[in-house]
Amino acid sequence: MACATDAGKLEEIYSQGQIAERIAYLAKEIARIYGDEPVVAVCVLKGAFAFFSDLVRAIDNPHLEVDFVRLSSYGMNSESSKHVIFSKDLETDIRNKHVLIVEDIVDSGYSMRFLLDQLLVRQPLSLRIAALVDKRERRSANVLVDFAGFVLESGFLVGYGLDYAERYRALPNICELKFVAAGE
Ligand code: IMP
Ligand code: MG
């Protein structure tokens, strides 16, 4: 599927069916790792909302809790992504609990590194990462994704929670946004 928008061209990379298949697989893996032990699944807003919602409902664990964080990067230059703050923190006390962070995309890894460091000092029993997309080309921070939906080298993705300037989050599939230069 391809369609032109004013921002660029959208090309489907992962269909609704492919996403559902991967989530079913990840949910089984996650359920196997935690068994019936309590686990706090942490949704990283906004981008992970669709993935999170589908994933937690597919994990067979009666002791799974949900909570939400939101991160913001600040600064004006390209280095700014290294400076991350919470714009919404957890409400749950995670000390001595298993924690599963659910993120949309791990790209440079700076946001995830920040979140890992913030949560590790709260002494969770374990801390793992599920990411819809593990995008490796620009990885600079030391972050390993435990459960990856899809592994990709590069490309700017939108849909299924992922945005470009807040657009396209509600698309049911994942598309690559191919930017078109002005005048093209
Ligand atoms: P980081 O570079 O790993 O810190 O990525 C930070 C955030 O940038 C991710 O969690 C996404 O929300 C966003 N991001 C990175 N790559 C993409 C993309 O291809 N599409 C939409 N958002 C992205
Ligand atoms: Mg994100």
Side-chain angles (χ1 to χ4, degrees), residues 48-60:
F49 81 93
F51 177 47
F52 184 79
S53 162
D54 285 340
L55 184 68
V56 294
R57 287 179 297 162
I59 298 170
D60 184 11

Side-chain angles (χ1 to χ4, degrees), residues 158-180:
V158 295
Y160 195 66
L162 309 170
D163 76 310
Y164 170 65
E166 293 302 323
R167 292 178 60 190
Y168 311 115
R169 289 197 198 273
L171 291 179
N173 54 353
I174 300 174
C175 300
E176 182 172 356
L177 179 59
K178 300 202 166 183
F179 296 94
V180 282

Side-chain angles (χ1 to χ4, degrees), residues 120-171:
L120 277 171
V121 296
R122 301 179 195 182
Q123 300 181 297
L125 197 53
S126 69
L127 188 54
R128 292 187 178 87
I129 303 168
L132 177 63
V133 179
D134 185 359
K135 208 159 84 172
R136 301 226 171 125
E137 193 183 43
R138 299 199 304 172
R139 186 68 42 84
S140 310
N142 178 19
V143 171
L144 285 177
V145 174
D146 300 278
F147 308 100
F150 302 101
V151 177
L152 198 72
E153 277 306 306
S154 57
F156 193 85
L157 306 181
V158 295
Y160 195 66
L162 309 170
D163 76 310
Y164 170 65
E166 293 302 323
R167 292 178 60 190
Y168 311 115
R169 289 197 198 273
L171 291 179

